[in-house]
Amino acid sequence: MFLSMNWIKDFVDLSGLDELKLINQFSLSTAEVENDIQFKGSDISGIVVAEIKSVEEHPESKKLHLLKVDIGDTELVDVVCGAPNVRVGMKTAFAKVGAKIGEIEIAPRPLAGYMSYGMCCSEKEIGISDDHAGIMEITDDVENGTDLKEIYAIDDIVFEVDNKSLTNRPDLWSHYGIAREFAAIAGRPLKELDFADLKAYDELPKVDMKIEDPLCYRYSSLQFENCTRSVSPVDMRIRLFYCGMRAINFLADMTNYLMLEMGQPMHAFDSRKVGKIRIKRFENEFDFTTLDGVERHIDPETLMICDDNTPVAIAGIMGGLDSEIVEDTNTLTLESATFDAASIRKSTVRLSHRTDASMRYEKSLDPELTTAAIARFVFLIKQFDEGVKIVSSLTDEYAYHYPEVELSFDKAYVDKYTGIEIDNDTIVNTLQRLGFGVENNGDDFTVKVPSWRATKDVTIKADIIEEITRIYGYDNFEIHTATAPLFPTRPEPVKKDEDSVKDILVKHYNLHELHSYVWNYVDELKELGIENRGVIKLMNATNPNIETIRETMIPTQLCQIKSNLGYAPKYGIFEVGRVVTGMTDDDLCIEEKHLGITLYAKGDNIRDQYFMMKTIIETLVDELKHKKVTFEKREPAFDFEHPVNLNAVIADGVELGKIGMIHPSVMKKLDRRANVVFAEIDMDKFAAIGNNSIRYEEPSKFPAIEIDLSFLTSRFAPVAKAIENAACALIKDVDVIDIYDAGENSSIAVRLTFSDNSRTLTKEEVAAVTDGIIAELEQQGIMLKK
């Protein structure tokens, strides 16, 4: 939000003070000021009021004119000008020879064969508006030759406050609210605003207005006639432009001006188009065209301002095109209202349209402002358009009152939380300058929170401490080391396992950790031929490509691989992220933390990749839980999973997740020349597994016997089961030493290591064990390779 120091100084006398230092203090005590402070008007000089005395057409140009202008000197000045609105008797802004506009210095120069001794300027060229349709027209009664800066407030300091730092301070969305802070910081009194006495119109008829929905907290209205002014005063237009707003017409500018001054949005309806004002919602959906000419879809949750049953504005957001103020408007119905903040915020999200008004309503505006803003509007419009008539009494319906907030505390409470000695007078003066009502009885204080701070900001005693200390100045606190006991915090098992898993995957397997969002990327999944599945979809998502919350990590990683196909011929990625796998009976999301791992390689054997992934999973379980992993075949649950090569990962009887290959149809669209395998582990289940203690066993002093067996099979699981069924304590290790893949002639070779700590084993007892394993496998049709 842009703020004008000239505007602030209307309400607090800052003479004799360093304004830049005050802005810095404001940033330290109240809200963050952006670094780019603008010194408006500092780059222009030598621009005066000039009157056009004669206008001749250029003999060789249809656009240029030859002017003689009076700039207050004894002789008229010759100027060549191409503006379409020049005319005799018009007064305009004129840059004399030697004048500066930015980095340009005006000098005599030939233009289309004629010398031009200066330049007639548009408002945009001067930097006081974005109007470049013609040269500036000055209608005020001023003498020719008067410096423009003497009659208009062109010189100004404009600074920008970060909107996020004002989220909990609706009172600071205005120049008057900011001025209150400057007054408190500088120790200067805050001037009262000038208001019209609205009671003078009590005898006039009321506006036909009614609140029909509780989302409207307060609605105030007043009607005017004989509005003849169409262009706003120059200083008003300058202030609006400096603060980032465009001048439209006098009545619309007045509402914007009051919004920037007091923080209360208002809307002016053409009274010819609005008769009976009703504030309500509609049961059925419909389309509505707003002031910007955009047709917007209105649902039953959006509050509307209506002319009886005809919508004329979206409450708190934007007026309708059919009821706008136009050039011939001379009667208006002024609206000043307060609405439910959450309702306005949700409506802006649904409509994907946020305005300056809605940003203020979203912050929980003070309903007490509505009538004050109308009184201020009447005061100002009477100054600038003297013929305006008020034709109604103030019509005001106050449907919802925020509760009054009163807080009591003592000086000991202040001393405890500030850690410094702040005297009672400082406490009282600080709070009073900020608008709080304070009663002081010795060391006891009772504070009444003003309405503009009581909507959601100041609610507890600790908030009062903040008010005192920030104005006192955090930089005035004596620096000392706090004394407090510190105790080590043991990390949660899930976090501890998560960190350990990341270390192993990065340090031992050189995988890359990625971070992604929790939604499915619909367009990217469509390109891969993967269904966009998800238990949860976001309502009114601003981007339909990211409206579904994912229930598995792997599709996200496949999208990441597709966007990094040229990174390297072989790499692996992993992420520990969130997924939503279902809903509870209470309609709450079942949110889980999953580890997703994906290996990508061009040219490598898919079997080698698969066994590498198997080794990674076994290593994780063995290193962190000291337990063995088994794998069981599973049917695919998602369309990206291979219909055959998919297995569950099981440890300690718990199914932790799955390991598998990508479906061939997906691989064709991802990369025909590459192979991809994946694994997904539930980290909560992984953390819940008990950690086996490490057993140390003294190696045998006696020689071990190694027996190699090769079986005609392509499946290792039956072989492993037969070795397990042998239940032989002498078997110390089992290794797969070779896999031969040749269709029906495929074979798997295993090496059994036999050992005993007390003696040397005999060939006979080892042979008895191996014979039993061979016999069991022969019964299953798995023969020993000869």
Side-chain angles (χ1 to χ4, degrees), residues 610 633-636 641-647 661 663-664:
Y610 199 89
K633 181 172 172 50
R634 289 289 185 269
E635 294 298 320
E641 296 172 338
H642 197 284
V644 177
N645 296 307
L646 183 70
N647 290 278
M661 294 164 49
H663 196 287

Side-chain angles (χ1 to χ4, degrees), residues 51-299:
E51 183 179 352
I52 300 174
K53 291 297 187 180
S54 70
V55 179
E56 295 181 11
E57 299 294 332
H58 192 289
E60 298 177 1
S61 174
K62 294 182 178 179
K63 293 183 178 180
L64 296 179
H65 304 89
L66 305 178
L67 312 181
K68 288 187 180 294
V69 299
D70 179 1
I71 61 171
D73 293 342
T74 55
E75 296 183 0
L76 299 180
V77 178
D78 292 322
V79 181
V80 181
C81 179
N85 63 330
V86 294
R87 67 180 187 276
V88 174
M90 175 183 180
K91 288 193 175 185
T92 188
F94 184 78
K96 302 188 299 182
V97 172
K100 290 186 177 181
I101 302 177
E103 297 180 356
I104 300 172
E105 183 172 345
I106 304 299
R109 67 186 184 100
L111 186 62
Y114 290 82
M115 288 299 295
S116 183
Y117 297 91
M119 182 177 75
C120 296
C121 303
S122 69
E123 292 186 2
K124 184 174 183 179
E125 288 167 331
I126 303 172
I128 59 175
S129 84
D130 59 358
D131 184 4
H132 196 51
I135 58 175
M136 179 181 181
E137 182 166 1
I138 298 175
T139 57
D140 297 301
D141 185 16
V142 289
E143 292 185 4
N144 297 337
T146 306
D147 192 297
L148 210 64
K149 290 186 177 182
E150 293 181 9
I151 55 175
Y152 302 126
I154 295 175
D155 284 325
D156 197 357
I157 298 176
V158 174
F159 61 97
E160 184 179 5
V161 175
D162 175 40
N163 287 352
K164 296 188 294 297
S165 61
L166 302 179
T167 298
N168 68 321
R169 292 291 302 274
D171 61 304
L172 294 186
W173 285 76
S174 67
H175 279 79
Y176 193 71
I178 298 291
R180 184 184 292 111
E181 294 289 317
F182 272 85
I185 294 168
R188 300 284 179 90
L190 179 70
K191 300 176 184 177
E192 295 289 338
L193 287 170
D194 292 318
F195 298 104
D197 182 11
L198 298 183
K199 293 182 179 179
Y201 310 109
D202 284 350
E203 301 302 320
L204 296 175
K206 289 186 174 294
V207 179
D208 189 352
M209 180 271 292
K210 185 178 181 182
I211 296 175
E212 297 182 357
D213 194 289
L215 293 180
C216 180
Y217 289 174
R218 189 177 190 182
Y219 198 96
S220 307
S221 185
L222 194 70
Q223 288 184 333
F224 301 77
E225 284 185 358
N226 199 35
C227 303
T228 57
R229 183 159 189 161
S230 59
V231 180
S232 303
V234 176
D235 280 336
M236 180 180 290
R237 299 203 308 271
I238 291 175
R239 286 187 175 181
L240 289 174
F241 182 68
Y242 283 0
C243 293
M245 303 200 79
R246 178 176 59 90
I248 303 170
N249 55 57
F250 176 58
L251 296 177
D253 292 349
M254 278 285 292
T255 60
N256 288 332
Y257 188 87
L258 265 296
M259 178 178 68
L260 294 180
E261 183 175 83
M262 298 185 64
Q264 173 62 49
M266 291 189 285
H267 188 72
F269 296 104
D270 190 325
S271 295
R272 298 170 299 180
K273 304 172 184 178
V274 177
K276 299 180 179 180
I277 297 178
R278 300 291 182 266
I279 303 95
K280 59 185 176 182
R281 285 176 284 181
F282 290 84
E283 294 182 358
N284 300 320
E285 300 179 355
F286 61 93
D287 292 329
F288 178 74
T289 304
T290 47
L291 281 171
D292 54 2
V294 177
E295 191 174 80
R296 305 185 185 280
H297 187 70
I298 306 300
D299 64 14

Side-chain angles (χ1 to χ4, degrees), residues 22 27 41 80 235 307 323 392 404-405 418 426 464 487 496 570 572 690 693 699 732 760 784:
L22 279 174
S27 187
V80 181
D235 280 336
D307 176 20
S323 61
S392 79
E404 292 185 356
V405 179
T418 61
T426 300
I464 298 295
F487 302 100
K496 185 178 179 182
K570 181 179 180 180
S693 58
K732 301 302 182 181
T760 300
L784 188 68

